[in-house]
Amino acid sequence: ETGVTQTPRHLVMGMTNKKSLKCEQHLGHNAMYWYKQSAKKPLELMFVYNFKEQTENNSVPSRFSPECPNSSHLFLHLHTLQPEDSALYLCASSQDRTAMNTEAFFGQGTRLTVV
Amino acid sequence: DAKTTQPNSMESNEEEPVHLPCNHSTISGTDYIHWYRQLPSQGPEYVIHGLTSNVNNRMASLAIAEDRKSSTLILHRATLRDAAVYYCILMEVWGDMRFGAGTRLTVKP
């Protein structure tokens, strides 16, 4: 148990569906991150929020829409996805973006399959 | 972004020490060296980090070269549970954790 909880753990969705991934942490952290890990590939940083403000969007397609209503919760809204979007989506949190001397905590991930 | 270079894979025997190398020749004076590992079907987990001095914790030791252009993660006695992908990451000011391919460690019984 890392203190970062992701739901659901597994998700199968059609290309026309709309779904959301949820991430929650109660570690008192102010930075939260979404990563994508496709099969046999390194983790790709998608979005970064620091004190609820989005500070990074790594050229992610608009069919992925993040939301950070407060420092404890992070969502990834999904719509009209493609089969190549099937991957493990990981959420992480850290004290804040300037805290290089502290560790980040990751959730277990959501395994997404787009059919 | 600062870059790191790690071997793609390494093997170790159970209960023997493992030395996982990382090169980071472009490191700047304020970059921290972090190590994470990812067990199968799990998210990455923190292992250890340091700036200039060698560091020890319950999981591992981190040896940092004097010029800081390389570092080595040391697992003192590898167990089967240590089989994972190990990532060496440089943390910059206002930087974010960006992962490379890492080193896949196989532990043989």
Side-chain angles (χ1 to χ4, degrees):
Chain A
E1 180 56 56
T2 65
V4 178
T5 303
Q6 290 187 243
T7 54
R9 292 292 308 278
H10 301 272
L11 178 63
V12 179
M13 61 185 288
M15 288 189 284
T16 59
N17 291 159
K18 289 184 180 180
K19 296 285 185 184
S20 296
L21 310 185
K22 179 182 176 182
C23 177
E24 185 174 357
Q25 59 89 8
H26 296 289
L27 301 169
H29 290 168
N30 294 298
M32 295 188 78
Y33 311 81
W34 280 117
Y35 288 85
K36 174 185 178 182
Q37 188 171 34
S38 303
K40 309 291 185 185
K41 288 187 178 181
L43 281 80
E44 301 170 50
L45 181 63
M46 299 175 72
F47 300 106
V48 180
Y49 279 82
N50 199 46
F51 291 93
K52 300 189 296 179
E53 296 294 322
Q54 184 175 319
T55 60
E56 189 87 14
N57 176 342
N58 283 282
S59 303
V60 179
S62 59
R63 57 186 183 270
F64 295 91
S65 175
E67 179 190 3
C68 188
N70 55 60
S71 290
S72 299
H73 294 86
L74 184 65
F75 295 89
L76 188 62
H77 303 299
L78 317 171
H79 64 97
T80 58
L81 294 192
Q82 304 299 311
E84 59 264 30
D85 296 322
S86 298
L88 181 67
Y89 288 84
L90 289 156
C91 172
S93 71
S94 66
Q95 185 174 326
D96 65 67
R97 284 192 72 208
T98 64
M100 302 177 295
N101 193 24
T102 62
E103 64 193 89
F105 293 81
F106 284 79
Q108 297 280 57
T110 295
R111 174 71 62 187
L112 174 67
T113 303
V114 182
V115 297
Chain B
D1 290 338
K3 302 290 187 188
T4 63
T5 304
Q6 300 178 253
N8 289 333
S9 62
M10 290 185 66
E11 280 191 357
S12 171
N13 293 317
E14 197 176 10
E15 299 195 1
E16 290 186 356
V18 183
H19 290 231
L20 297 164
C22 181
N23 288 318
H24 29 77
S25 58
T26 60
I27 191 170
S28 73
T30 56
D31 293 346
Y32 277 80
I33 302 160
H34 285 239
W35 283 82
Y36 284 75
R37 71 180 186 181
Q38 187 173 19
L39 302 172
S41 302
Q42 295 190 27
E45 65 174 346
Y46 168 81
V47 178
I48 200 166
H49 76 278
L51 183 61
T52 56
S53 304
N54 295 344
V55 184
N56 299 296
N57 66 20
R58 62 175 180 82
M59 289 182 71
S61 295
L62 176 60
I64 301 173
E66 196 168 337
D67 64 5
R68 299 209 329 125
K69 293 186 176 182
S70 66
S71 60
T72 302
L73 178 70
I74 302 166
L75 307 179
H76 296 286
R77 287 183 65 199
T79 68
L80 297 178
R81 195 196 172 276
D82 292 321
V85 179
Y86 286 78
Y87 300 98
C88 169
I89 300 166
L90 298 184
M91 289 297 292
E92 310 165 271
V93 177
W94 285 103
D96 299 303
M97 271 195 306
R98 297 178 187 273
F99 290 75
T103 297
R104 181 173 297 280
L105 175 66
T106 302
V107 181
K108 297 182 289 185

